[in-house]
Amino acid sequence: MAGARTFREALVAGPVLFDGATGTQIYERGVLFNRSFDELNVSQPDLVRGIHAAYVAAGAQVIETNTFGANRLALLRHGLQDRVTELNTAGVRLAREAAGDRAFVAGAVAPTGLDPRNAAPEDLDQVATAYREQVAALRDAGSDLLILETFDFLDEVRIALAATRAEAPDLPVVAQMRFGADIRARDGTEPGRAARLLAEWGADAVGVNCGGGPNEVFEAARAMARSGVNRPVSAQANAGRPQEVEGRLIYVASPDFYATFARRLLKLGVRIVGGCCGTGPAHIHAIAGAVRMMRHDTLPRRSGIEIVGGTETHDRVGTPTSAITTAIAERPLRPMAERSRLGAKLGREFVVSVEVNPPFGLDPAPGVEAARRLIQAGATVVNTSDGPRASVRMENLAFGATVQHAVGCEVILHVCCRDRNLLGLMSHLLGAHALGIRNLVVI
């Protein structure tokens, strides 16, 4: 477990950010689909560890093991059915080595490939045995939690959940199903019913992953969130629908698009977000900021050390290392109501913000008078643009501080990141804080 902080504790504080696709990343590194990706845990450990490390650097709080197909029945197709314990143990070890003190390790469990609708009772017994064997291996290797993912049939995920509760009763379990374009699983199950049954069968969190893309996953997650289920909801979507380009399956949803989708999920109340097929470290990095904004100190702690995700330099994601940002981010977040008068109103009463731009010349008086009249007419705050229309104006920080002092209202300061380098931006924000500006629109 993660020292003084367990996954269940992190989930309560949430939201929690999982990693993205492992299989897609392996394929992009030249490994063909006809190989067992799980066997790479032993034959190419550096490749697998490197993928995990890239997700940790991108800000993931949970790393899933490369054991998606590491149950006996799935491995049978590659002649590896007698290496279940070896491959799962290696998968947990590689994830742990990459995660270090910065992320939890989730033992990944997935369908066996058997369609339970056409299975004889003895076949279902084999499925149960296969899951118990894999779960025991993941447990013994030191997984912090288990994730059951991409299940198409309630009958199979029920068997998998029973196996996890029998072999690892103390480990948290996230159970996810896959839904199609009609927002139903292959057996016809709708998301709300799935959520209620998964919770009844012992899942700590219920959710959806894979499927057609972000839109379908959003609809399924919304149905789960509105089902009345008393469990956190998770959502891990593909990066859109795959398109074949020169013989390869390419997912075309950009990281920026994926970040927008993740913010919609978080506003919906989803507690676990991450990526599935087609996503990579860039997608996780794009949504890490949204997750940090909405959580309250959920990163795992080990050995009394707490490290903020997403601040370690990594070539693929380009995230800067900064002792300053780490120190600031480690401070506990103040409640919104204590940050500003506007923050105290948000979510409690209707607020009105009106834009007043900085003057072209040296005299801020006309703008100050306009702000005063707007506040008197009922506006809650004044917001002021940063270099509007690419014209030379008074710096909006100076104008905003003048308005705030003269009128007695709060100001929302626009901060346009394109116009300053990182050092200049940080200096600008420090100055804004010193002048009493507490509300920002970052552009």
Side-chain angles (χ1 to χ4, degrees):
M1 302 303 286
R5 175 74 47 87
T6 68
F7 174 76
R8 286 192 177 99
E9 291 170 337
L11 191 56
V12 168
V16 176
L17 178 58
F18 275 55
D19 58 8
T22 300
T24 300
Q25 296 299 303
I26 290 174
Y27 177 70
E28 288 184 354
R29 287 159 175 76
V31 181
L32 299 181
F33 282 129
N34 59 358
R35 286 195 60 179
S36 167
F37 284 5
D38 312 277
E39 190 274 337
L40 299 174
N41 292 337
V42 174
S43 63
Q44 297 189 47
D46 290 342
L47 182 150
V48 176
R49 188 189 300 107
I51 293 170
H52 292 327
Y55 281 123
V56 174
Q61 295 171 268
V62 180
I63 299 299
E64 296 185 30
T65 58
N66 179 41
T67 56
F68 185 89
N71 63 74
R72 176 172 291 273
L73 297 181
L75 290 173
L76 180 63
R77 295 190 286 274
H78 300 280
L80 302 171
Q81 64 274 17
D82 294 329
R83 299 178 63 185
V84 172
T85 299
E86 176 192 7
L87 299 182
N88 282 278
T89 300
V92 174
R93 184 184 69 251
L94 294 175
R96 180 70 70 203
E97 289 171 356
D101 294 333
R102 300 183 61 182
F104 297 102
V105 170
V109 178
T112 61
L114 183 74
D115 186 339
R117 296 173 299 183
N118 305 316
E122 56 269 24
D123 295 328
L124 297 180
D125 289 341
Q126 290 184 11
V127 170
T129 300
Y131 281 134
R132 292 189 67 155
E133 180 182 26
Q134 184 184 15
V135 167
L138 293 169
R139 174 204 64 205
D140 292 344
S143 297
D144 294 315
L145 65 143
L146 298 170
I147 179 165
L148 315 183
E149 57 185 355
T150 326
F151 281 83
D152 295 313
F153 304 104
L154 275 173
D155 285 343
E156 187 172 21
V157 73
R158 177 179 55 80
I159 295 171
L161 270 169
T164 62
R165 297 288 62 137
E167 296 295 333
D170 297 328
L171 287 186
V173 180
V174 179
Q176 299 180 151
M177 292 194 69
R178 174 168 56 182
F179 299 90
D182 60 352
I183 319 300
R184 292 185 177 271
R186 280 183 61 190
D187 60 5
T189 304
E190 57 85 21
R193 179 169 181 265
R196 291 188 294 271
L197 288 174
L198 293 174
E200 180 183 324
W201 295 335
D204 292 85
V206 300
V208 52
N209 76 292
C210 202
N215 290 335
E216 288 90 342
V217 166
F218 179 84
E219 293 301 326
R222 177 161 59 181
M224 286 186 164
R226 294 178 176 177
S227 68
V229 65
N230 186 26
R231 293 291 190 280
V233 174
S234 65
Q236 294 178 268
N238 294 342
R241 294 183 179 274
Q243 299 181 13
E244 185 170 344
V245 179
E246 296 183 354
R248 287 191 174 190
L249 292 178
I250 304 297
Y251 293 81
V252 297
S254 69
D256 287 341
F257 171 83
Y258 205 82
T260 300
F261 156 72
R263 285 193 290 271
R264 291 179 64 205
L265 287 172
L266 294 172
K267 290 178 181 179
L268 185 67
V270 168
R271 304 291 285 179
I272 295 173
V273 292
C276 201
C277 302
T279 61
H283 294 83
I284 301 306
H285 177 57
I287 65 178
V291 171
R292 282 195 296 270
M293 287 173 64
M294 298 191 71
R295 75 176 183 239
H296 292 281
D297 188 26
T298 64
L299 290 169
R301 292 174 181 166
R302 293 177 178 226
S303 306
I305 299 174
E306 182 176 352
I307 304 177
V308 175
T311 57
E312 178 180 336
T313 299
H314 193 279
D315 292 342
R316 286 194 180 90
V317 297
T319 311
T321 299
S322 171
I324 296 175
T325 54
T326 299
I328 293 174
E330 283 182 344
R331 298 175 185 170
L333 291 175
R334 294 173 61 194
M336 184 69 73
E338 296 180 10
R339 300 183 204 176
S340 69
R341 297 198 302 273
L342 174 62
K345 295 177 184 290
L346 292 178
R348 295 175 173 82
E349 58 184 272
F350 191 82
V351 298
V352 176
S353 172
V354 184
E355 184 171 315
V356 180
N357 288 329
F360 286 104
L362 299 174
D363 184 9
V368 171
E369 180 58 26
R372 179 179 286 107
R373 295 176 63 183
L374 288 165
I375 295 298
Q376 290 173 348
T380 310
V381 293
V382 168
N383 70 84
T384 182
S385 295
D386 191 3
R389 298 183 180 274
S391 55
V392 177
R393 295 173 181 259
M394 181 180 292
E395 215 262 353
N396 72 333
L397 174 54
F399 176 69
T402 300
V403 168
Q404 193 159 283
H405 176 73
V407 180
C409 67
E410 285 196 326
V411 169
I412 301 175
L413 190 74
H414 294 213
V415 180
C416 192
C417 299
R418 72 180 178 215
D419 296 332
R420 303 173 183 86
N421 62 22
L422 180 60
L423 183 61
L425 181 62
M426 294 173 71
S427 298
H428 182 67
L429 295 178
L430 289 171
H433 186 85
L435 291 172
I437 302 292
R438 296 293 184 268
N439 306 302
L440 307 175
V441 172
V442 182
I443 304 170

